[in-house]
Amino acid sequence: MSMKILLTGHLGYIGTVLAPRLLARGHDVTGLDSDLFAECSFAGPVAHIPSIGGDVREFVAEEDSIERLRGFDAVIHLAGLSNDPLGDYRPGLTQEINARASFELARLAKAAGVPRFVFASSCSNYGASGDQFISEAGTLNPVTPYGLSKVEAEVGISALADASFSPTFLRASTAYGLSPRLRFDLVVNNLTAWACTTGDVHLKSDGSPWRPIVHVEDIALAYIATVEAPRTEVHCEVFNVGQTSENYQIREIAEIVRDVVPGSKIAFADGASPDLRNYRVDCNYIALRLHAFKPQWTCRRGVEQLFTAFTESGLTVEAFEGPRFKRIAHLKQRIDEGSLNEHLYPVRQLAAA
């Protein structure tokens, strides 16, 4: 059944993978995205879809936002500051965008009669949880402003659930894999890029922390399975997105990269130390509940995909370590050059007289 879906963050790392897949399923998709990373395209086209706005903070503050939301069957809310370095850079902004604006968007969607709201949460909510597998019912222990913002959003949005409004929360494992708007600040992407360009699988920690990982295409499949599922299967549910078998210590990921990239070796940065973020995630619940979600990727297959793409594109260290593909560095560059202000709003240049 075709649905009318509002996809926020449709121009980001996950959104540019998800949007064309929703269209291929026959859904009517509209976007909402400030397009902060328009200059960060790497490979593949970005789907062109209608848009009803840019920054979600501005959208929820507009007087006609409820009217503009009427008629949608679902909101998939990806938009936000997307990782720990961005969260650490401006903790107040992270709370404002990821938590407060997300809650307001959900509240307005409910007021507009939108029955479904799928929120992009994160396994970062588990933070420092140790070496034992943790399920959706486990204790949340975020250790970064990013993780805190996602927990706050979940709490607020879940309180809106009732017979007419069904939120669902997808706690994604750490993403990796190719996207038209590629990120190199993700562990699998980053380690593979270092190996391809320098021959060193460059570890910035001691490699001991555990991390669940999931390919960006599998994340897209999870959103599709969720939004297309019967309401009774997803009403106010929380799902860890990934596969239980795809939990790795960082050094294990490094070993896979070393084995895939010919001639590469593992190297540690000066002062490499343990990372506070340490968690192993049980993903069995989503497999039991959402039978349409069938993840396709493993770490090794993903590294092989990245190795081929990076080699064919002639990737250099300067390219992936520079401000084009690193989210925090890119935003700082835009602020320095004057195209963004410190609140991450675009600076609209006045035309010359």
Side-chain angles (χ1 to χ4, degrees):
M1 181 179 66
S2 176
M3 302 172 70
K4 185 175 181 182
I5 298 172
L6 175 63
L7 176 62
T8 76
H10 70 286
L11 296 173
Y13 178 65
I14 297 172
T16 50
V17 174
L18 176 55
R21 284 161 175 76
L22 287 170
L23 294 171
R25 299 282 296 176
H27 298 300
D28 179 359
V29 185
T30 299
L32 173 67
D33 198 310
S34 57
D35 205 11
L36 293 176
F37 306 105
E39 299 174 11
C40 302
S41 295
F42 180 79
V46 174
H48 295 286
I49 60 176
S51 173
I52 62 169
D55 194 295
V56 67
R57 293 170 294 175
E58 293 181 323
F59 179 82
V60 299
E62 292 169 357
E63 292 183 359
D64 64 343
S65 56
I66 291 178
E67 290 304 315
R68 294 164 72 190
L69 287 167
R70 292 196 192 281
F72 284 102
D73 299 303
V75 173
I76 297 177
H77 183 40
L78 303 179
L81 297 184
S82 59
N83 62 5
D84 290 322
L86 279 178
D88 295 338
Y89 173 60
R90 289 283 193 275
L93 272 182
T94 299
Q95 194 277 339
E96 178 186 340
I97 296 169
N98 290 5
R100 192 183 313 155
S102 295
F103 172 78
E104 282 300 302
L105 181 63
R107 184 184 65 81
L108 294 168
K110 179 178 178 177
V114 181
R116 305 277 285 270
F117 191 93
V118 187
F119 178 66
S121 194
S122 171
C123 284
S124 291
N125 293 10
Y126 302 121
S129 297
D131 295 342
Q132 300 302 310
F133 284 102
I134 190 165
S135 72
E136 291 83 350
T139 301
L140 302 183
N141 188 28
V143 294
T144 63
Y146 172 74
L148 286 166
S149 72
K150 292 296 187 179
V151 171
E152 183 178 339
E154 282 194 23
V155 171
I157 295 168
S158 63
L160 299 172
D162 61 17
S164 64
F165 184 72
S166 294
T168 309
F169 306 94
L170 298 190
R171 293 178 186 160
S173 301
T174 300
Y176 70 92
L178 283 183
S179 161
R181 291 280 169 83
L182 191 60
R183 289 174 54 187
F184 284 101
D185 50 7
L186 298 165
V187 62
V188 179
N189 296 358
N190 186 267
L191 293 179
T192 307
W194 276 108
C196 289
T197 57
T198 70
D200 285 343
V201 187
H202 187 63
L203 283 171
K204 298 177 182 178
S205 75
D206 68 356
S208 64
W210 285 93
R211 199 80 83 246
I213 62 172
V214 62
H215 197 282
V216 63
E217 292 183 15
D218 285 339
I219 295 176
L221 293 179
Y223 279 98
I224 292 169
T226 300
V227 81
E228 293 181 351
R231 175 185 176 276
T232 53
E233 295 298 311
V234 297
H235 176 71
C236 217
E237 288 282 4
V238 178
F239 297 114
N240 292 336
V241 178
Q243 302 175 77
T244 304
S245 59
E246 289 294 292
N247 283 270
Y248 298 91
Q249 288 181 286
I250 301 300
R251 61 171 172 257
E252 293 178 312
I253 297 173
E255 289 165 358
I256 291 171
V257 173
R258 178 200 60 199
D259 293 345
V260 169
V261 180
S264 63
K265 65 182 186 302
I266 295 174
F268 292 87
D270 292 339
S273 59
D275 190 329
L276 285 176
R277 298 166 299 165
N278 181 52
Y279 47 92
R280 300 174 79 187
V281 173
D282 184 328
C283 297
N284 292 326
Y285 187 58
I286 190 171
L288 292 171
R289 192 81 174 180
L290 292 181
H291 299 297
F293 174 58
K294 300 188 182 301
Q296 304 295 308
W297 290 84
T298 63
C299 181
R300 179 174 294 275
R301 184 181 170 214
V303 171
E304 291 170 349
Q305 177 202 43
L306 293 167
F307 170 61
T308 299
F310 295 166
T311 302
E312 291 179 349
S313 69
L315 182 69
T316 64
V317 175
E318 292 74 22
F320 83 84
E321 277 288 288
R324 182 178 176 190
F325 294 113
K326 276 194 160 182
R327 293 303 193 242
I328 182 65
H330 186 76
L331 293 184
K332 286 181 177 179
Q333 181 186 58
R334 289 195 58 186
I335 291 169
D336 290 344
E337 70 187 16
S339 64
L340 283 180
N341 66 24
E342 291 196 349
H343 300 284
L344 304 186
Y345 286 114
V347 176
R348 295 168 175 84
Q349 304 294 336
L350 297 176

